[in-house]
Amino acid sequence: NAGVTQTPKFRILKIGQSMTLQCTQDMNHNYMYWYRQDPGMGLKLIYYSVGAGITDKGEVPNGYNVSRSTTEDFPLRLELAAPSQTSVYFCASTDDRGLDTEAFFGQGTRLTVV
Amino acid sequence: GESVGLHLPTLSVQEGDNSIINCAYSNSASDYFIWYKQESGKGPQFIIDIRSNMDKRQGQRVTVLLNKTVKHLSLQIAATQPGDSAVYFCAENGSGGGADGLTFGKGTHLIIQP
């Protein structure tokens, strides 16, 4: 199994540009999450989804959007990139026990906004 | 809001020695705690978890201790190896369940000296 796969691994954006961070998992997990990790900090939850067609805001959702049309995919959209969105983004998934169990993380997408 | 914090940002140990990484949490409602390991350039990887009805749990070379009285969590790594070099995060499920309740600490960087 590939687990959780994120693309791209690295990206540089100019201020005001938009992009989509892709995330897919092959474990048939209903719960998926997007986190951002700033240098020297822990992870902060951006958005999460408990199943296809259902999404909800996390701790830091401003400037981002998500969709969940299938169980496998949970893309994160940045519409107007800002320098404050420079970070490493991690996608994760869990089974239906949610965050009362192990989360599987992708390798991360390192985004720089200049 | 509630937060999870670590006592030391960096811990340096000799190869072969035992390592102890500490974590304090403030939400008395937390009932599930996880330790993650993050190697450079990779996503967090689950190490071990513990529920609030336990005070100790052991894995392979790792032990997690939970002291609910003082809201303290620790990760003990026995016979530390070079491959243990990483940043270690504690996380807690402060809201008592669900997809949005996981809070990460800032991390402790474990450095192994030969």
Side-chain angles (χ1 to χ4, degrees):
Chain A
N1 283 344
V4 179
T5 303
Q6 290 182 237
T7 57
K9 286 187 171 57
F10 304 93
R11 183 72 185 269
I12 298 175
L13 281 182
K14 293 185 179 179
I15 294 171
Q17 285 186 318
S18 61
M19 77 164 291
T20 299
L21 283 68
Q22 301 291 346
C23 175
T24 187
Q25 51 89 13
D26 61 0
M27 296 172 282
N28 201 33
H29 284 168
N30 279 323
Y31 285 58
M32 295 187 74
Y33 315 84
W34 273 106
Y35 290 92
R36 60 176 286 171
Q37 184 178 34
D38 297 329
M41 302 293 287
L43 284 76
K44 292 186 182 293
L45 184 65
I46 305 172
Y47 269 96
Y48 65 97
S49 169
V50 300
I54 305 169
T55 63
D56 214 337
K57 296 179 180 179
E59 183 182 357
V60 289
N62 291 344
Y64 307 94
N65 276 302
V66 292
S67 60
R68 186 89 184 274
S69 57
T70 66
T71 298
E72 294 78 19
D73 301 307
F74 189 39
L76 177 72
R77 179 87 177 157
L78 282 71
E79 291 294 349
L80 290 170
S84 62
Q85 293 177 305
T86 294
S87 190
V88 181
Y89 292 83
F90 289 101
C91 179
S93 73
T94 65
D95 62 26
D96 284 353
R97 289 171 290 176
L99 286 166
D100 278 352
T101 187
E102 174 184 357
F104 294 84
F105 285 83
Q107 297 282 356
T109 295
R110 185 176 295 275
L111 176 67
T112 303
V113 182
V114 295
Chain B
E2 301 291 350
S3 65
V4 176
L6 294 170
H7 294 307
L8 294 172
T10 302
L11 177 64
S12 183
V13 299
Q14 295 284 338
E15 182 178 349
D17 287 352
N18 296 335
S19 302
I20 300 177
I21 301 172
N22 295 305
C23 181
Y25 65 96
S26 56
N27 188 348
S28 57
S30 299
D31 63 358
Y32 181 65
F33 305 87
I34 314 174
W35 281 100
Y36 283 93
K37 172 186 180 183
Q38 186 176 24
E39 296 175 279
S40 181
K42 296 184 178 180
Q45 183 179 18
F46 174 90
I47 303 173
I48 193 168
D49 59 2
I50 189 168
R51 298 195 181 278
S52 60
N53 61 352
M54 303 171 69
D55 53 21
K56 181 179 180 179
R57 190 166 187 217
Q58 287 185 292
Q60 189 174 16
R61 279 203 309 120
V62 294
T63 301
V64 55
L65 298 177
L66 175 63
N67 186 330
K68 294 182 287 295
T69 302
V70 296
K71 299 196 193 74
H72 184 267
L73 191 69
S74 69
L75 176 71
Q76 300 178 2
I77 305 173
T80 312
Q81 302 169 359
D84 294 329
S85 288
V87 176
Y88 290 82
F89 293 94
C90 63
E92 48 98 5
N93 190 350
S95 69
D100 63 340
L102 198 60
T103 302
F104 283 82
K106 294 183 179 179
T108 292
H109 186 192
L110 179 63
I111 298 172
I112 311 303
Q113 295 181 341

CSV table of all heavy atoms in Angstrom, one decimal, chain B residues 35-56:
chain,number,residue,atom,x,y,z
B,35,TRP,N,2.3,9.9,20.7
B,35,TRP,CA,3.7,10.4,20.3
B,35,TRP,C,3.9,10.1,18.9
B,35,TRP,O,3.7,9.0,18.4
B,35,TRP,CB,4.7,9.8,21.2
B,35,TRP,CG,4.8,10.3,22.6
B,35,TRP,CD1,4.3,9.8,23.7
B,35,TRP,CD2,5.5,11.5,22.9
B,35,TRP,NE1,4.6,10.6,24.8
B,35,TRP,CE2,5.4,11.7,24.3
B,35,TRP,CE3,6.3,12.5,22.2
B,35,TRP,CZ2,5.9,12.7,25.0
B,35,TRP,CZ3,6.8,13.5,22.9
B,35,TRP,CH2,6.7,13.6,24.3
B,36,TYR,N,4.4,11.2,18.2
B,36,TYR,CA,4.8,11.1,16.8
B,36,TYR,C,6.3,11.4,16.6
B,36,TYR,O,6.8,12.2,17.3
B,36,TYR,CB,4.0,12.0,15.9
B,36,TYR,CG,2.6,11.6,15.6
B,36,TYR,CD1,1.5,12.0,16.4
B,36,TYR,CD2,2.3,10.7,14.5
B,36,TYR,CE1,0.2,11.6,16.1
B,36,TYR,CE2,1.0,10.3,14.2
B,36,TYR,CZ,0.0,10.8,15.0
B,36,TYR,OH,-1.3,10.4,14.8
B,37,LYS,N,6.9,10.7,15.7
B,37,LYS,CA,8.3,11.0,15.3
B,37,LYS,C,8.3,11.6,13.9
B,37,LYS,O,7.7,11.0,13.0
B,37,LYS,CB,9.1,9.6,15.4
B,37,LYS,CG,10.5,9.7,14.8
B,37,LYS,CD,11.1,8.3,14.8
B,37,LYS,CE,12.5,8.3,14.3
B,37,LYS,NZ,13.1,6.9,14.1
B,38,GLN,N,9.1,12.6,13.8
B,38,GLN,CA,9.2,13.2,12.4
B,38,GLN,C,10.7,13.4,12.1
B,38,GLN,O,11.4,14.2,12.6
B,38,GLN,CB,8.5,14.6,12.4
B,38,GLN,CG,8.4,15.2,11.0
B,38,GLN,CD,7.7,16.5,10.9
B,38,GLN,OE1,7.5,17.2,11.9
B,38,GLN,NE2,7.2,16.8,9.8
B,39,GLU,N,11.1,12.6,11.1
B,39,GLU,CA,12.4,12.7,10.6
B,39,GLU,C,12.5,13.8,9.5
B,39,GLU,O,11.5,14.2,9.0
B,39,GLU,CB,12.8,11.4,9.9
B,39,GLU,CG,12.9,10.3,11.0
B,39,GLU,CD,13.2,8.9,10.3
B,39,GLU,OE1,12.3,8.3,9.8
B,39,GLU,OE2,14.4,8.5,10.3
B,40,SER,N,13.7,14.3,9.3
B,40,SER,CA,13.8,15.5,8.4
B,40,SER,C,13.3,15.2,7.1
B,40,SER,O,13.6,14.2,6.4
B,40,SER,CB,15.3,15.8,8.3
B,40,SER,OG,15.5,16.9,7.5
B,41,GLY,N,12.4,16.1,6.6
B,41,GLY,CA,11.8,16.0,5.3
B,41,GLY,C,10.7,15.0,5.1
B,41,GLY,O,10.3,14.7,4.0
B,42,LYS,N,10.3,14.5,6.2
B,42,LYS,CA,9.2,13.4,6.2
B,42,LYS,C,8.0,13.9,7.0
B,42,LYS,O,8.1,14.8,7.8
B,42,LYS,CB,9.7,12.1,6.7
B,42,LYS,CG,10.8,11.5,5.8
B,42,LYS,CD,11.2,10.2,6.3
B,42,LYS,CE,12.3,9.5,5.5
B,42,LYS,NZ,12.7,8.2,5.9
B,43,GLY,N,6.9,13.2,6.8
B,43,GLY,CA,5.7,13.4,7.6
B,43,GLY,C,5.8,12.7,9.0
B,43,GLY,O,6.7,11.9,9.2
B,44,PRO,N,5.0,13.2,9.9
B,44,PRO,CA,5.0,12.5,11.2
B,44,PRO,C,4.7,11.0,11.1
B,44,PRO,O,3.8,10.6,10.3
B,44,PRO,CB,3.9,13.3,12.0
B,44,PRO,CG,3.8,14.6,11.3
B,44,PRO,CD,4.1,14.3,9.9
B,45,GLN,N,5.3,10.3,12.0
B,45,GLN,CA,5.0,8.8,12.0
B,45,GLN,C,4.6,8.4,13.4
B,45,GLN,O,5.3,8.8,14.4
B,45,GLN,CB,6.3,8.1,11.6
B,45,GLN,CG,6.2,6.6,11.5
B,45,GLN,CD,7.5,6.0,11.1
B,45,GLN,OE1,8.6,6.6,11.2
B,45,GLN,NE2,7.5,4.8,10.6
B,46,PHE,N,3.6,7.7,13.5
B,46,PHE,CA,3.1,7.2,14.8
B,46,PHE,C,4.1,6.4,15.6
B,46,PHE,O,4.7,5.5,15.0
B,46,PHE,CB,1.8,6.4,14.6
B,46,PHE,CG,1.2,5.8,15.8
B,46,PHE,CD1,0.3,6.4,16.6
B,46,PHE,CD2,1.6,4.5,16.1
B,46,PHE,CE1,-0.3,5.8,17.7
B,46,PHE,CE2,1.0,3.8,17.2
B,46,PHE,CZ,0.1,4.5,18.0
B,47,ILE,N,4.3,6.6,16.9
B,47,ILE,CA,5.2,5.8,17.7
B,47,ILE,C,4.4,5.0,18.6
B,47,ILE,O,4.4,3.7,18.6
B,47,ILE,CB,6.2,6.7,18.5
B,47,ILE,CG1,7.0,7.6,17.6
B,47,ILE,CG2,7.1,5.8,19.3
B,47,ILE,CD1,7.8,8.5,18.3
B,48,ILE,N,3.6,5.7,19.5
B,48,ILE,CA,2.9,5.0,20.5
B,48,ILE,C,1.8,5.9,21.0
B,48,ILE,O,1.9,7.1,20.9
B,48,ILE,CB,3.8,4.5,21.7
B,48,ILE,CG1,3.1,3.6,22.6
B,48,ILE,CG2,4.4,5.8,22.4
B,48,ILE,CD1,4.1,2.9,23.6
B,49,ASP,N,0.7,5.3,21.6
B,49,ASP,CA,-0.4,6.1,22.1
B,49,ASP,C,-0.7,5.5,23.5
B,49,ASP,O,-0.3,4.5,23.9
B,49,ASP,CB,-1.6,6.1,21.2
B,49,ASP,CG,-2.2,4.7,20.9
B,49,ASP,OD1,-1.6,3.7,21.5
B,49,ASP,OD2,-3.1,4.6,20.1
B,50,ILE,N,-1.5,6.3,24.2
B,50,ILE,CA,-2.0,5.9,25.5
B,50,ILE,C,-3.3,6.6,25.8
B,50,ILE,O,-3.5,7.8,25.5
B,50,ILE,CB,-0.9,6.2,26.6
B,50,ILE,CG1,-1.3,5.6,28.0
B,50,ILE,CG2,-0.7,7.7,26.8
B,50,ILE,CD1,-0.2,5.6,29.0
B,51,ARG,N,-4.2,5.9,26.5
B,51,ARG,CA,-5.5,6.4,26.8
B,51,ARG,C,-5.4,6.8,28.3
B,51,ARG,O,-4.6,6.3,29.1
B,51,ARG,CB,-6.6,5.4,26.6
B,51,ARG,CG,-6.7,5.1,25.1
B,51,ARG,CD,-8.0,4.4,24.7
B,51,ARG,NE,-7.9,4.2,23.3
B,51,ARG,CZ,-8.2,5.0,22.3
B,51,ARG,NH1,-8.6,6.2,22.6
B,51,ARG,NH2,-8.2,4.7,21.0
B,52,SER,N,-6.4,7.7,28.7
B,52,SER,CA,-6.3,8.3,30.0
B,52,SER,C,-6.6,7.3,31.2
B,52,SER,O,-6.4,7.6,32.3
B,52,SER,CB,-7.2,9.5,30.1
B,52,SER,OG,-8.6,9.1,29.9
B,53,ASN,N,-7.1,6.1,30.8
B,53,ASN,CA,-7.4,5.1,31.8
B,53,ASN,C,-6.1,4.2,32.1
B,53,ASN,O,-6.2,3.3,32.9
B,53,ASN,CB,-8.5,4.2,31.4
B,53,ASN,CG,-8.3,3.4,30.2
B,53,ASN,OD1,-7.3,3.7,29.5
B,53,ASN,ND2,-9.2,2.5,29.8
B,54,MET,N,-5.0,4.6,31.5
B,54,MET,CA,-3.8,3.9,31.7
B,54,MET,C,-2.7,4.9,32.2
B,54,MET,O,-2.8,6.1,32.0
B,54,MET,CB,-3.3,3.3,30.4
B,54,MET,CG,-4.2,2.3,29.8
B,54,MET,SD,-3.7,1.8,28.1
B,54,MET,CE,-2.3,0.8,28.6
B,55,ASP,N,-1.7,4.4,32.9
B,55,ASP,CA,-0.6,5.3,33.3
B,55,ASP,C,0.7,4.9,32.6
B,55,ASP,O,1.7,5.6,32.7
B,55,ASP,CB,-0.4,5.4,34.8
B,55,ASP,CG,-0.3,4.1,35.4
B,55,ASP,OD1,0.1,3.1,34.8
B,55,ASP,OD2,-0.6,4.0,36.7
B,56,LYS,N,0.7,3.8,32.0
B,56,LYS,CA,2.0,3.3,31.3
B,56,LYS,C,1.6,2.4,30.2
B,56,LYS,O,0.7,1.6,30.3
B,56,LYS,CB,2.8,2.6,32.3
B,56,LYS,CG,4.2,2.1,31.8
B,56,LYS,CD,5.0,1.4,32.9
B,56,LYS,CE,6.3,0.8,32.4
B,56,LYS,NZ,7.1,0.2,33.5
